[in-house]
Amino acid sequence: MEKAGGFAGSILYVDLSQRSVTKEPLSQELMGDFLGGAGINTKLAYDLIKPADDSLSPGNVLLIGAGPFVGTIIPGAGRCSATAKSPASGLFGSNTTGYFGTLKFAGYDHLVTKGKADRPVYLKIRDNEVEIRDASHIWGKDTWEATDAIWEELGQEYEVLSIGPAGENLVRSANIIGGKYSAFARTGLGAVMGSKNLKAIAVYGTGSIEVADVEAFTQLLDRLYKEFTAQAGLDGWRTYGTLISLEAMAKAGLYPHKNFQETGEADRCIEAFNLDNFAKLKVGDVACMSCPIGCKHFVELKEGKYAGLKLTVSCANAPTQSWGGPCAIEGWEEIFRCVELCNRLGLDYYDTAGLIAWAIELYKRRIIDNKDTQGLELDWGKADAIEELIQKIAHKDGFGEILAQGLIEAPKRIGRNSAYYLSQVKGIGLVFDPRVRHSVEVVSQSFNVRGAHDSALSVTMLPRTREKMIKFAERIGFPPRDAWDRVLAGPEGFNAARLSKWYEDNVTVLDSLGVCQFAPFQRPNIALWAELYSALTGIKKDATELLKTGERAWNIRRAFNLREGAARKDDTFPERTMREPVKFGDKEYSPFTQEHLTELIDDYYQERGWNSDGTISQEKLDELGLRL
Amino acid sequence: MSEVRVTKEENCSGCRLCALACSFFISPERAFSLSKSQIRVARTDGENRFKVGLLEDCLGCGICVDYCHYGVLSKE
Ligand code: SF4
Ligand code: SF4
């Protein structure tokens, strides 16, 4: 068979220790079994990263992959995936972002970086020309300064991924920032770049992405666009982005407040993150490559304390869920200041805000005092102190050095039973409170094998009925009818644990193809994605096979984690959420019980075909054709 | 012959759908490419703000106008 459509056809391997660069063909087997993007990253990570290799050692491997849809005009097909052993959890770490897709036009589907440079470097990739360049002049600079400097050197047509001081200093919640805004946010991947002395990666390409069956592809594209653009609510998605569901989420109690001690009052959330005020500060829409929605925002503060600040805000709900809720900051000005700091310094909002919210609570409870914080007076919503602490974390300065150790080590450093107050699972900060709503997104935080929270975006965040769930399953094409009795069961028409399996597989498919996983992209039937994949690549797959590839990747992630020593006992929720109730207005939600957790994990493992100890059954491995 | 115009450049989101659609529908290779299209989208001032320009060989077919969902382009 000639080269598959959709794919650039090559993997670029860079060994920073050897200063060597090699280009290898992407095998048919990888394309067929893992689709591309996140899926192929997963398989390569499993094969290349050894259990003995610490996440910050030269042995860790950073994989960046763009799936076969990336570079085409399939709506939302601009998402790239980054993978490595996570410095935050020590387990599989992975993330997607809507930037860096031009890697495909340079001729590569994947960039695999290993080893460690003997001094700061950055990578320049322009088609076949790949250079490991000196970065001593930008080391120490923040991501905006570093990106500007590279644009100045190479031209603004380059897409630039960069780390900030946080990544350089191996902060466990460091991220990678693309084009000054677009983050591979979670699981600490910025520290992996830092540990390799790799400050940035710049790419530009003049190549093309071919289509296997032009006629079929064009027809399918037409069908998809008609269906896609007919959806209600796309204008709202553009104006408010992920804030589109702010009001509904606030009313459902989905914003944890003051370090998960309570749930944010609906009115407070709606007022503190007022949507009209947000719209007033927004100057323009920003989109990932090939996205007709454009849910990102170019924002300009024209007056006040930060007058003159211009920045692109990617997921606008994320800073409200982190700085706004757990740290209790109010108003867009200070929220945007936190966004600016995190984007410049290269820090994940959720884990960084989670650590700071925890420190504030410890301070309020007098578990730590201003000797620990070296004079910093911490309090809820006290933006100046919080912003100072963000900078201290990035620079590992004073008290910030302790928080920079991440959500597993920092409580050990502080001791004094402080771990009880930290909302984390396997070193990754919690986003949703498991006591409040048992949706797929929420419960999957306990057993997620990928790191980070958005592995199973579903429709269950807000109350549903069985009728609606069935209608939706019919529309999107999964779970299959023979699974409905067990998966679409329960008072709201879903079993969150079992349904997680199906959404995780689907999200993995989208991450592998390179399509956005937000709601408008989850509505087309999976069979349509399969048809598009087949027409584009020439590799025939139906809906069932497509979901199987997602499942295959998910199982390899589990195997990766098991190999690192993870076990059933790690699939849990923070102790506090299992002991204390939480208040939401005049309601009180009980602690998440051990019985419920046991039931949930049992159901989930069963749905996955795993053994009750969390290992993967031989039958499942055989079914997926995996020999691990 | 009709002509494509950049009428509301400030609306550009940088999505590149125009350029990619142009290369796919118009180029003889029927492939996606940023550099083989007749419309160029360029970042300005180190921000996510963009300049959009048509090249000389633009056919005026308007496929880019159809694929721009941000109202930047028009066909006259
Ligand atoms: S909806 Fe938003 S995140 Fe998704 S592809 Fe479009 S711009 Fe990117
Ligand atoms: S002109 Fe329209 S289609 Fe082209 S990049 Fe700008 S917003 Fe996207």
Side-chain angles (χ1 to χ4, degrees):
Chain A
M1 186 182 145
E2 51 186 282
K3 192 179 116 182
F7 291 95
S10 301
I11 305 180
L12 179 64
Y13 288 94
V14 175
D15 185 330
L16 293 171
S17 303
Q18 306 293 330
R19 292 186 82 86
S20 68
V21 173
T22 46
K23 180 176 175 176
E24 283 180 23
L26 184 64
S27 74
Q28 286 286 336
E29 194 189 339
L30 280 177
M31 294 182 219
D33 290 351
F34 297 97
L35 296 181
I40 292 183
N41 269 5
T42 297
K43 176 69 166 89
L44 293 175
Y46 187 85
D47 291 346
L48 298 173
I49 302 169
K50 301 286 168 271
D53 291 329
D54 184 82
S55 62
L56 298 178
S57 76
N60 199 1
V61 180
L62 178 69
L63 304 112
I64 299 174
F69 284 13
V70 176
T72 74
I73 51 177
I74 293 171
R79 309 286 304 175
C80 293
S81 184
T83 304
K85 187 185 285 186
S86 160
S89 65
L91 304 174
F92 187 88
S94 160
N95 251 247
T96 61
T97 207
Y99 191 79
F100 211 63
T102 44
L103 182 68
K104 297 272 301 276
F105 296 118
Y108 314 100
D109 303 285
H110 295 264
L111 166 65
V112 180
T113 310
K114 64 175 183 176
K116 178 182 180 176
D118 56 4
R119 56 181 182 279
V121 295
Y122 80 90
L123 265 184
K124 175 194 161 191
I125 305 169
R126 189 181 180 104
D127 300 331
N128 275 329
E129 190 191 312
V130 182
E131 252 183 88
I132 300 170
R133 293 169 73 116
D134 175 55
S136 49
H137 60 304
I138 48 173
W139 196 256
K141 290 196 189 306
D142 72 36
T143 67
W144 292 9
E145 294 162 341
T147 303
D148 277 336
I150 291 175
W151 277 337
E152 180 82 13
E153 276 169 44
L154 309 178
Q156 288 187 56
E157 69 274 25
Y158 277 79
E159 287 199 310
V160 178
L161 294 178
S162 156
I163 56 166
E168 294 177 12
N169 294 327
L170 312 182
V171 175
R172 303 265 166 180
S173 57
N175 66 13
I176 304 171
I177 293 284
K180 298 184 175 178
Y181 78 103
S182 190
F184 287 120
R186 308 211 62 198
T187 70
L189 302 180
V192 177
M193 274 179 72
S195 72
K196 300 190 172 307
N197 270 332
L198 179 61
K199 177 69 180 175
I201 308 169
V203 69
Y204 181 71
T206 61
S208 309
I209 298 301
E210 285 160 20
V211 178
D213 183 342
V214 171
E215 202 180 316
F217 182 77
T218 312
Q219 278 173 13
L220 290 162
L221 203 58
D222 253 15
R223 215 170 97 200
L224 177 60
Y225 264 97
K226 280 204 188 82
E227 200 180 297
F228 187 83
T229 50
Q231 295 183 67
L234 294 191
D235 289 347
W237 262 99
R238 176 172 302 170
T239 310
Y240 303 113
T242 47
L243 290 171
I244 189 168
S245 29
L246 177 100
E247 206 175 307
M249 282 178 66
K251 287 184 174 153
L254 297 175
Y255 289 97
H257 196 52
K258 297 188 176 167
N259 195 34
F260 290 71
Q261 292 184 95
E262 49 194 84
T263 288
E265 296 261 3
D267 291 347
R268 182 260 170 196
C269 293
I270 293 166
E271 198 33 50
F273 321 122
N274 184 292
L275 289 183
D276 293 335
N277 293 345
F278 175 83
K280 277 185 211 138
L281 298 172
K282 175 168 172 167
V283 212
D285 309 308
V286 178
C288 303
M289 189 159 74
S290 295
C291 183
I293 294 184
C295 78
K296 320 289 183 202
H297 324 274
F298 189 69
V299 164
E300 206 176 322
L301 302 190
K302 297 210 171 72
E303 48 192 38
K305 205 166 150 192
Y306 304 115
L309 174 63
K310 292 180 193 173
L311 78 168
T312 305
V313 182
S314 189
C315 169
N317 199 29
T320 63
Q321 288 174 308
S322 48
W323 304 109
C327 290
I329 289 182
E330 300 201 343
W332 290 112
E333 263 197 2
E334 294 297 353
I335 295 268
F336 288 151
R337 171 65 179 155
C338 292
V339 169
E340 182 201 5
L341 281 172
C342 288
N343 286 4
R344 279 178 175 268
L345 299 166
L347 282 168
D348 172 37
Y349 307 144
Y350 291 107
D351 283 0
T352 311
L355 284 159
I356 294 179
W358 170 66
I360 298 173
E361 187 179 347
L362 297 181
Y363 193 84
K364 304 283 286 179
R365 288 182 183 276
R366 301 181 197 280
I367 294 171
I368 58 172
D369 59 22
N370 63 6
K371 280 204 269 320
D372 293 289
T373 65
Q374 291 161 335
L376 213 54
E377 307 282 341
L378 297 174
D379 204 350
W380 302 118
K382 198 170 169 232
D384 51 351
I386 291 170
E387 287 154 11
E388 198 178 329
L389 194 45
I390 294 174
Q391 304 188 57
K392 284 181 179 293
I393 292 174
H395 293 286
K396 280 197 169 162
D397 174 16
F399 181 56
E401 190 272 329
I402 295 179
L403 301 188
Q405 302 303 326
L407 292 98
I408 295 175
E409 285 304 316
K412 292 187 196 157
R413 288 277 299 274
I414 290 183
R416 295 167 253 179
N417 196 30
S418 61
Y420 177 78
Y421 302 100
L422 188 54
S423 298
Q424 59 90 18
V425 176
K426 296 185 266 269
I428 308 284
L430 221 58
V431 175
F432 301 110
D433 192 321
R435 291 164 291 189
V436 177
R437 178 150 180 82
H438 300 173
S439 81
V440 165
E441 292 76 359
V442 178
V443 302
S444 65
Q445 294 177 113
S446 67
F447 43 67
N448 175 19
V449 298
R450 184 197 101 158
H453 62 294
D454 53 352
S455 300
L457 289 183
S458 79
V459 292
T460 62
M461 277 307 263
L462 301 172
R464 302 286 164 192
T465 60
R466 178 143 206 265
E467 211 185 347
K468 279 234 167 72
M469 291 304 297
I470 287 186
K471 229 167 122 189
F472 196 68
E474 278 172 336
R475 174 176 180 166
I476 61 177
F478 68 89
R481 206 167 281 265
D482 61 9
W484 287 1
D485 280 351
R486 52 173 208 277
V487 179
L488 301 184
E492 287 189 34
F494 65 90
N495 172 315
R498 291 186 183 274
L499 190 58
S500 289
K501 183 255 177 209
W502 295 94
Y503 275 94
E504 286 163 352
D505 291 352
N506 182 51
V507 165
T508 308
V509 167
L510 297 177
D511 288 352
S512 301
L513 297 172
V515 179
C516 178
Q517 48 172 270
F518 284 157
F521 303 92
Q522 294 226 23
R523 290 186 197 124
N525 193 288
I526 182 98
L528 183 52
W529 294 127
E531 282 184 79
L532 270 160
Y533 177 84
S534 305
L536 173 66
T537 63
I539 304 169
K540 299 274 173 273
K541 282 209 187 295
D542 63 18
T544 311
E545 288 165 331
L546 208 63
L547 278 173
K548 256 303 154 243
T549 56
E551 186 181 7
R552 191 173 290 124
W554 196 265
N555 276 271
I556 294 190
R557 292 167 182 176
R558 180 70 179 181
F560 185 106
N561 291 348
L562 292 168
R563 195 170 68 176
E564 295 294 332
R568 176 167 178 143
K569 66 169 177 23
D570 302 307
D571 293 345
T572 185
F573 282 123
E575 194 184 347
R576 168 147 79 186
T577 63
M578 301 191 61
R579 279 215 205 165
E580 291 174 24
V582 67
K583 275 204 159 44
F584 173 46
D586 49 15
K587 275 189 235 146
E588 192 178 88
Y589 294 97
S590 323
F592 204 98
T593 63
Q594 186 55 52
E595 296 72 56
H596 190 177
L597 185 68
T598 304
E599 194 186 324
L600 193 81
I601 304 288
D602 281 344
D603 278 357
Y604 177 73
Y605 287 0
Q606 235 183 53
E607 193 65 27
R608 281 239 164 260
W610 294 349
N611 301 315
S612 63
D613 63 356
T615 55
I616 307 169
S617 67
Q618 192 55 47
E619 292 89 312
K620 184 49 80 179
L621 290 173
D622 292 345
E623 180 197 319
L624 296 171
L626 290 175
R627 239 161 264 107
L628 299 174
Chain B
M1 202 178 95
S2 56
E3 194 186 338
V4 170
R5 286 180 189 234
V6 181
T7 35
K8 250 184 168 301
E9 194 172 54
E10 66 277 19
N11 277 11
C12 180
S13 68
C15 73
R16 268 83 172 183
L17 276 168
C18 53
L20 293 171
C22 170
S23 63
F24 177 61
F25 286 103
I26 305 309
S27 73
E29 300 87 2
R30 298 302 310 266
F32 295 100
S33 168
L34 289 172
S35 51
K36 290 184 189 71
S37 81
Q38 295 304 323
I39 183 163
R40 292 294 152 88
V41 182
R43 174 187 303 283
T44 57
D45 307 326
E47 299 290 356
N48 288 297
R49 306 275 76 206
F50 302 91
K51 281 215 160 318
V52 184
L54 281 308
L55 301 192
E56 245 173 48
D57 288 342
C58 166
L59 303 176
C61 70
I63 195 82
C64 55
V65 185
D66 297 343
Y67 274 89
C68 177
H69 295 256
Y70 299 83
V72 177
L73 308 167
S74 63
K75 189 171 133 173
E76 284 165 27

